[in-house]
Amino acid sequence: DTEVTQTPKHLVMGMTNKKSLKCEQHMGHRAMYWYKQKAKKPPELMFVYSYEKLSINESVPSRFSPECPNSSLLNLHLHALQPEDSALYLCASSQEPPGELFFGEGSRLTVL
Amino acid sequence: RKEVEQDPGPFNVPEGATVAFNCTYSNSASQSFFWYRQDCRKEPKLLMSVYSSGNEDGRFTAQLNRASQYISLLIRDSKLSDSATYLCVGILTGGGNKLTFGTGTQLKVEL
């Protein structure tokens, strides 16, 4: 059982849609992360929030917009995505940044 | 050169075999390392942290060799359920102290 919860588990969206991925952790961790993972590749870092502030943006296109409403929640807002953005989006948290990561089960996104 | 490198495999081994994976890193000042396990279409899960003195957890042993800049994972008496991708992860100093993933090594344990 994971202590990092992600919703939805699956999402299919068109290129003109706006959707959001949500992540929640109740471990009191101070760092939260978004990773993107394509098949047979390792997770690729997108964003890091440290103490609710964006600390790392790995040159991610603006069609991905992160938000950290509080220390337990992390959102990823999606708008005008491309088919190549289809991937598994993983949320993770760590007690301090950087540190041992605890991953959610991921949101599998398909962009049509 | 990639910051963290692994042999992608696949490693196909019979049940009961001992198998070892190595992972090399480029930054000699790197701080901490971990091995994660990822099953197909699942999230990565921490297998073990890697300490300079080496650490063992049941059938799994992890070692860190700072002089040669590699870490290793040894799996003894491998089980069918050990089949997965094993990801080497390092916290590399410089570049924002980020966690850096290796490409992963695929293990298939067969009857």
Side-chain angles (χ1 to χ4, degrees):
Chain A
D1 290 340
T2 182
E3 295 183 74
V4 178
T5 306
Q6 288 188 244
T7 55
K9 288 189 168 29
H10 299 275
L11 178 63
V12 179
M13 60 187 290
M15 289 190 284
T16 57
N17 292 158
K18 283 186 181 180
K19 297 285 184 184
S20 297
L21 306 181
K22 297 185 182 299
C23 176
E24 188 170 5
Q25 58 90 9
H26 291 290
M27 294 180 281
H29 288 176
R30 309 310 298 187
M32 296 187 76
Y33 309 75
W34 280 115
Y35 282 86
K36 173 183 176 179
Q37 188 175 27
K38 302 281 260 185
K40 299 190 184 298
K41 297 287 187 183
E44 183 183 324
L45 182 65
M46 299 175 73
F47 303 104
V48 181
Y49 273 83
S50 174
Y51 292 85
E52 302 171 43
K53 293 192 187 317
L54 182 65
S55 60
I56 295 177
N57 176 342
E58 290 288 274
S59 302
V60 179
S62 60
R63 57 185 184 269
F64 296 92
S65 175
E67 179 196 17
C68 187
N70 61 54
S71 60
S72 300
L73 293 174
L74 186 66
N75 300 323
L76 186 63
H77 302 299
L78 314 171
H79 174 53
L81 295 194
Q82 304 297 312
E84 59 264 30
D85 296 322
S86 299
L88 179 67
Y89 288 84
L90 292 159
C91 174
S93 68
S94 66
Q95 193 163 20
E96 294 288 336
E100 177 187 322
L101 295 174
F102 292 80
F103 284 92
E105 294 183 343
S107 294
R108 192 163 297 279
L109 173 67
T110 302
V111 182
L112 301 176
Chain B
R1 183 185 173 187
K2 291 181 182 172
E3 293 178 296
V4 178
E5 291 200 69
Q6 294 181 252
D7 181 342
F11 283 57
N12 297 317
V13 302
E15 199 173 17
T18 295
V19 61
F21 308 135
N22 278 346
C23 167
T24 59
Y25 59 94
S26 58
N27 187 329
S28 61
S30 302
Q31 301 170 24
S32 306
F33 297 90
F34 309 93
W35 283 104
Y36 278 77
R37 170 202 169 120
Q38 186 170 25
D39 293 286
C40 187
R41 300 181 71 81
K42 298 283 190 181
E43 77 277 19
K45 292 187 178 178
L46 180 70
L47 182 65
M48 54 200 311
S49 302
V50 186
Y51 306 122
S52 296
S53 56
N55 47 311
E56 186 173 316
D57 182 3
R59 297 181 293 109
F60 299 84
T61 300
Q63 294 276 359
L64 167 60
N65 185 318
R66 289 197 182 275
S68 301
Q69 294 182 206
Y70 75 86
I71 70 171
S72 63
L73 177 68
L74 182 76
I75 305 175
R76 288 180 297 278
D77 187 24
S78 53
K79 313 289 184 192
L80 294 176
S81 57
D82 293 333
S83 299
T85 295
Y86 291 83
L87 293 156
C88 169
V89 184
I91 298 177
L92 307 181
T93 52
N97 278 340
K98 294 182 289 189
L99 284 106
T100 301
F101 281 78
T103 50
T105 298
Q106 188 179 7
L107 173 66
K108 295 181 180 178
V109 181
E110 302 164 330
L111 286 171

